[in-house]
Amino acid sequence: MCASGATPFRLAEEAVEWLRARVRRRPVVAIVAGSGLGGLVHAVSEAERFPYADIPHFPVSTVAGHAGELIVGSLAGVEVCLMGGRVHFYEGYTMHQVTLPVRVMAGLGARICIVTNAAGGINPDFAVGDIMVIRDHINLPGLAGHNPLRGPNDERWGPRFPDLSNAYSPTLRRLARQSAGALGLTVREGVYAMVAGPNYETPAELRLLRLVGADAVGMSTVPEVLVARHAGVRVLGLSLITNKVILEPREDDAPLELHQEVLDVGARRADDVRRLIVEIVTRLAPTL
Ligand code: HPA
């Protein structure tokens, strides 16, 4: 429930109604552009653009590198809606607010959701600039009680106890690997651990994450995946490894400029992520 008494589902429905009255298209694929990957917006043609601030109940991003507009248009001949920027739990939004846009895209008709993010590489084999197809996740805020599915459930959206044994569609993961191969790009596959942020992790926390099998760590994506899966939307998750995490405390008092590094790597690799997504959507088109 929200302060107004409206459920998150009702708020999403109101935003869907508002958008339906304004967009001509019926998007079938939803895309979330993460840190530094907002350039994906330019891959969408015949774009109808809606600043988040104009859409009822939409949260507005407060972080550099995260534009805030919903774009509905065509990508490789497929009707898509794309979030140019997302909001995060660490900005002070509730999990319900963070996930409202994905619920809205599902409400508009999206049956597949491609989520992207910037992540720190924990797996020692990963290099900065690698693209990781998410195979599974560890939801640390969720395990601690911060879950967007908490609260009254609306059965019209999905079941009370959603199954997550194949949260990241095996078919879409295969398609992503094939698409990368066709473009000559190497992709990794691995487990994404979500932390709440906004601080970067301590070396001890990172060693903990490594012990439990995390390959990459970030501050987003998982809540969006949960509401998508709850609504029966198939998910593909892609992480751009923007930095290698530091597993032992440094012997140096100077702070690191990690956020700038994240944005710089995003800018450098954004084009490959865009090409990969266009190829994936192109291959999806005949199946939709
Ligand atoms: N930790 C958490 N989130 C991140 C990181 C990181 O190292 N890099 C990009 N997002």
Side-chain angles (χ1 to χ4, degrees), residues 144-157:
H146 293 291
N147 190 309
L149 303 178
R150 182 170 178 269
N153 187 54
D154 188 324
E155 289 287 331
R156 290 170 303 168
W157 282 74

Side-chain angles (χ1 to χ4, degrees), residues 99-124:
T99 52
L100 178 121
V102 171
R103 285 207 161 113
V104 170
M105 294 194 289
L108 285 174
R111 306 314 306 143
I112 289 177
C113 185
I114 303 176
V115 275
T116 64
N117 60 49
I122 298 178
N123 184 322

Side-chain angles (χ1 to χ4, degrees), residues 132-231:
M132 181 185 90
V133 176
I134 304 178
R135 184 174 63 239
D136 202 350
H137 74 223
I138 299 170
N139 180 6
L140 286 159
L143 294 175
H146 293 291
N147 190 309
L149 303 178
R150 182 170 178 269
N153 187 54
D154 188 324
E155 289 287 331
R156 290 170 303 168
W157 282 74
R160 172 77 284 186
F161 300 109
D163 167 36
L164 291 184
S165 58
N166 60 357
Y168 297 85
S169 159
T171 317
L172 295 178
R173 287 195 277 124
R174 208 172 306 122
L175 188 75
R177 287 195 301 270
Q178 287 163 354
S179 302
L183 295 173
L185 294 172
T186 315
V187 286
R188 312 290 196 153
E189 207 172 70
V191 174
Y192 175 88
M194 182 198 174
V195 293
N199 58 276
Y200 288 106
E201 306 69 43
T202 64
E205 288 165 349
L206 290 161
R207 291 197 302 275
L208 169 77
L209 294 178
R210 186 175 166 188
L211 266 180
V212 296
D215 295 295
V217 56
M219 304 175 193
S220 68
T221 302
V222 166
E224 294 148 347
V225 170
L226 296 182
V227 299
R229 293 305 296 137
H230 180 246

